[in-house]
Every structure is written in C-alpha cells, then in structure tokens.
Amino acid sequence: MAAEEKWKGWASKQHRGAEEAGEKEPCVLLGQRLGEAGRFAYAALCGISLAWLFPEEEQSSFRTEFTEGFVKWLGLPDAVLPAMTAFSSGLGGEGTETFAQILLKDPIVKENPVVIIQDLLAFSLRDGYYDARARVLICHIIWLLRIPLEELEVLEESLLESLKEQKEEESETAEVSRKKKERRRKLKRYLLIGLATVGGGTVIGLTGGLAAPLVAAGAATIIGSAGAAALGSTAGIAVMASLFGAAGAGLTGYKMKKRVGAIEEFEFLPLTEGKQLHITIAITGWLCTGKYGSFTAPWSSMLQSSEQYCLAWESKYLMELGNALDSLLNGFVNMMAQEALKFTVLSGIVTALTWPTSLLTVASVIDNPWGVCLHRSAEVGKHLAHILLSRQQGKRPVTLIGFSLGARVIYFCLQEMAQEKDSQGIIEDVVLLGAPVEGEAKYWKAITKVVSGRIINGYCRGDWLLGFVYRTSSVQINVAGLQPVDLDDRRMVNMDLSSVVS
C-alpha cells in the first residue's frame, strides 16, 4: 500500500505538471526528456539485456525490431543504431553496471527511477501487443536499477483503473447524447476491429474507440501525456481491444462447445474478478472427494497477478483418479500397519524393481484411471496451446502453473506451441510441480523457445507416490517431478521441495 500511495502521489504530480504546461510546450515522451548520455545508457542497457535474455538465433528479429523501434522512441540519432545493434547482438555486456549508473545519475531518473518503468511500459504497449518478452525485459531492467518489482504491478493496475474510470465517464455523459449520430460510425469500427459481436466490451471497448481523447487524458496520469497520446492515437480502441481479446471477455468467454478429439471437458473458470495486463492460468492435477473436490480449491491463496483463471478439464476422469489415489494410500497405510513393508527401506523405493508384490496388487486399482488421465492430459495440453496461439486471452503475457497432471498439461502445451509459428512472446513464466513427464534435458530444450521468463521445475526426491504410479506409464528412468532437469539455460530453475512436501 505504501508503494501504491507513493506512486499515485508522484503520478498526480506529473499529471498536474502536464496540465500546467498546457499548450506552452509540446509533450515530450519521458524517455526523450533524459539527457543525451542518459538516453544512450538507457538504450544500451536494454540492448545488452535483450542479448542476455534472448540470445537464440530465432530471437534475432525480436531483438532487432525492438532495438530499432526503441532508438526512434528515444529520439536518438541514426548514427547510434549500429552500436545499439551490436549491444543487442551480445557485445558490451561488461558495461552493464556502468550504463546503469549513468542512467541513475540522470536528473529525471534520480528524482524517481520509476519513470523508466513508465517509459518502457508505454513503449511496449504502443501497438496494443504486450509481448511476454517485453515484460521479462522490463522486469530485468527493474532488477538492474534496484527498483521494487511491485512498482510495475502498481503501474499496470493503475493504468487499467484509469482507463476504466474514463470509460465509465464516457458512457454516462457523452455517449447518450450522440448515440444516434455515431451509430453507423461505431458499427463500422466494431466491424473493422472484430468487435461486431461485443457482449461485455473491454475496459474501453463499449465506446468503440470514440473515447480515445478521454482515454489519453486518463492514461496521461500513468504513462505520461505524450506516452498516452502515442498509445491512443495510432490505433485508438484497437490497441486496447487487442490486449484483452475480442469483446474483452478474454478466457472467461471461452468454453468448449463440442467434443474435441478425446477431450470431453475444457473450460476456463475465473479465480479473481480483476483485469490485468498479464494473466495467470492454474491447472489442477486431480480431484478428490471433500476439500479438494473442485478445480478452484487448490488455488484459493495464489499470489500471482490480479487476473487469474483455472482450467476445468475432464473432471470425471480426474475424480476417478483422485479416488483411486485415496484407495492406494489407504492400502499402503494398512500394509504399513501390518508390517508388510517391515524390511523395505521406504526412501529407496523409486523404481518398479523395489516395489513389494503386495503393494503392486493394491496398485492395480489405479492403473486404468492413471493411464486414461495421462493420455487425456497430453491432449488437453495440445488444445490449450492452440487456444493461447489464437489469442483468446488477448495479446498479453500468460503465466502457467500446475501440479501433477496439471503440470503435464502445461508441458505438452509448451511442446505443441514450440512446433507452431508465431508462438514466441505469449508465455512469460511456467511453474511445474511434481510433473509426471520426462526428466531428461533434451526433451525440455524445445520449450525454451516459447517461454520468455522462467521454467520452474518443482520436484521432490521422496515423492514415492509419483514414482510408483508413473512406473507403468513410461520406460523413462528420469521423471521431472522427482529430480532436477539438467538443462543449461538461464530460464531453467529447479527447486527441491522435499523439505516442504510430505
């Protein structure tokens, strides 16, 4: 709250300053208000960061387009472009700290470093496409400049709140008086930008782009008057509409209307009511009678973005699996009580070779539902990939998090996306917990192509249940949910959860 109040106070000051300036001087983009040395250091820092974050050959076009656009955005001379291109190609990394210090010494940045976030966000949103790679870059620059990440969250939320307020003001005043006059014009705009069937509208979608001046005025408080003008002038409503998807409904409006292949159920359920410039999709691994009998139950306290969804998929089969797991656990406990496993070292039970025959007999109850869910989770993952590729969520970064078979859904989603064109810049981060998938690095290499931020593999070496139920589904000795994935990539983060998972 302190950070939010601080930001709102500063934003209000900036807005008053812009109002007082009036028409005395033209609006200048925040980045262009920096001194020459500050602008050069700013562009260089972004270029070096791009090279470190996205060094792959397939990312070269993104680095080039970003660099060329950013040099123009900052008003730097064309003669600077070769140097910036070199930085974004991997040269000059040793100058990172120097450039950061030069930028922090600029009077405007020294007064409040948040202006850099403000400027980068305005640049990233200028075409109505919030690329996941751009957000990862912003987060990295924030880290380099020692700015709290919460500042970005506040900025994104404040921008949306401002747009929402302006939309309400427009709908209550101006729209009524000119409704008949603008009907044809509005319908034409809806058709042009694919909103002819608008039901709920984006935060500003109901005005059909006619509120662009008001939107710019409201956004000026957040991203600066010139930045707001740049956001609203080129494409008007289409810019924001593209961020949130057709009609602004996003994933809330998606439900599979008929069976797709082997998939019988596929629907997004909202976990929160907020709107955000980036979203989170959580995927449950199984259902069981009682407390965790719903898809939403495991995610009641998830602290990740203010717009969250969970995927409801194949509930009938996931419930069967959950009940089978309960039966297996109960059978295991009973045998423990009967000392059937007296001479078995539990910590050493990892492969089928060490499972006692009595336990294998009890486990027969789980084989069928587990096998069915393994197959369907892969199919659901592939379907999810095509939903995301079609931008049902709008053109915003997506974070995916799932446990057990939910993590498997994500794994196959990423594998499918990696085989398609235009799959980059959609996924920001992924979190896989206890994933029943291959653990060898070679199987994970492809998904680094589609993940802009981090791939977090949460594993537990002592998860005997995962090791046990996975024994018949694959000949793979390595299982990602049981061990780290040895992939040499800055995106790959392995987290040993053995101390927190019983």
Side-chain angles (χ1 to χ4, degrees), residues 88-291:
S88 65
S89 298
L91 299 177
E94 64 278 0
T96 301
E97 188 61 31
T98 300
F99 287 129
Q101 292 304 316
I102 292 174
L103 182 56
L104 288 169
K105 289 177 181 177
D106 187 282
I108 293 177
V109 181
K110 190 173 184 179
E111 179 184 356
N112 192 341
V114 177
V115 297
I116 296 301
I117 313 176
Q118 192 179 13
D119 188 64
L120 275 174
L121 183 59
F123 175 73
S124 300
L125 293 175
R126 72 195 187 284
D127 296 325
Y129 179 14
Y130 198 6
D131 194 293
R133 292 165 292 186
R135 193 169 193 273
V136 169
L137 173 65
I138 294 175
C139 292
H140 185 67
I141 296 296
I142 286 174
W143 177 77
L144 289 175
L145 299 180
R146 306 298 187 265
I147 300 172
L149 184 59
E150 290 78 8
E151 298 282 8
L152 175 60
E153 299 282 350
V154 171
L155 180 58
E156 291 175 333
E157 291 176 9
S158 299
L159 175 58
L160 289 183
E161 282 301 312
S162 175
L163 294 172
K164 182 179 179 181
E165 290 169 6
Q166 294 303 323
K167 173 258 179 181
E168 290 172 351
E169 179 181 342
E170 168 72 5
S171 63
E172 292 173 3
T173 57
E175 189 177 358
V176 174
S177 63
R178 68 177 183 219
K179 199 169 185 179
K180 292 182 179 180
K181 180 180 178 182
E182 298 291 352
R183 182 172 295 174
R184 291 184 180 179
R185 181 183 172 191
K186 202 187 315 187
L187 179 58
K188 181 180 179 181
R189 291 197 180 201
Y190 279 141
L191 292 170
L192 288 174
I193 60 177
L195 295 180
T197 57
V198 61
T202 65
V203 286
I204 59 173
L206 289 173
T207 64
L210 304 178
L214 287 175
V215 168
T221 305
I222 311 302
I223 61 174
S225 54
L231 180 62
S233 62
T234 305
I237 177 62
V239 171
M240 296 306 293
S242 67
L243 278 172
F244 291 91
L251 295 177
T252 305
Y254 182 84
K255 180 179 181 180
M256 193 177 70
K257 304 233 178 356
K258 60 182 181 179
R259 183 168 178 150
V260 177
I263 306 172
E264 299 176 13
E265 181 183 6
F266 188 104
E267 180 182 2
F268 293 101
L269 305 176
L271 292 171
T272 59
E273 296 180 357
K275 284 287 185 182
Q276 182 57 288
L277 289 177
H278 64 105
I279 69 173
T280 299
I281 301 174
I283 308 178
T284 300
W286 70 73
L287 300 174
C288 59
T289 306
K291 182 179 179 181

Side-chain angles (χ1 to χ4, degrees), residues 35-48 74 76 84 96 98-104:
E36 186 174 355
R39 281 183 290 150
F40 186 93
Y42 182 17
L45 201 60
C46 287
I48 292 172
L74 294 179
L76 286 166
M84 296 306 159
T96 301
T98 300
F99 287 129
Q101 292 304 316
I102 292 174
L103 182 56
L104 288 169

Side-chain angles (χ1 to χ4, degrees), residues 286-357:
W286 70 73
L287 300 174
C288 59
T289 306
K291 182 179 179 181
Y292 295 108
S294 71
F295 286 101
T296 59
W299 314 108
S300 59
S301 58
M302 184 169 60
L303 300 176
Q304 175 68 37
S305 83
S306 59
E307 185 174 352
Q308 304 172 5
Y309 302 89
C310 69
L311 177 62
W313 64 286
E314 308 295 76
S315 57
K316 180 175 73 172
Y317 302 101
L318 292 179
M319 184 63 76
E320 287 180 4
L321 174 61
N323 292 334
L325 288 173
D326 281 342
S327 298
L328 176 61
L329 285 171
N330 290 334
F332 177 78
V333 170
N334 289 335
M335 281 187 292
M336 282 289 291
Q338 298 167 16
E339 297 186 337
L341 300 180
K342 182 186 299 182
F343 301 107
T344 302
V345 180
L346 294 181
S347 61
I349 299 181
V350 177
T351 66
L353 296 177
T354 58
W355 295 112
T357 304

Side-chain angles (χ1 to χ4, degrees), residues 51-112:
W52 184 79
L53 291 168
F54 310 108
E56 299 83 8
E57 179 60 32
E58 59 265 24
Q59 300 284 2
S60 61
S61 60
F62 173 73
R63 297 196 306 267
T64 299
E65 290 173 9
F66 189 100
T67 302
E68 291 177 352
F70 201 54
V71 167
K72 292 180 181 178
W73 176 267
L74 294 179
L76 286 166
D78 292 340
V80 169
L81 186 56
M84 296 306 159
T85 301
F87 287 140
S88 65
S89 298
L91 299 177
E94 64 278 0
T96 301
E97 188 61 31
T98 300
F99 287 129
Q101 292 304 316
I102 292 174
L103 182 56
L104 288 169
K105 289 177 181 177
D106 187 282
I108 293 177
V109 181
K110 190 173 184 179
E111 179 184 356
N112 192 341

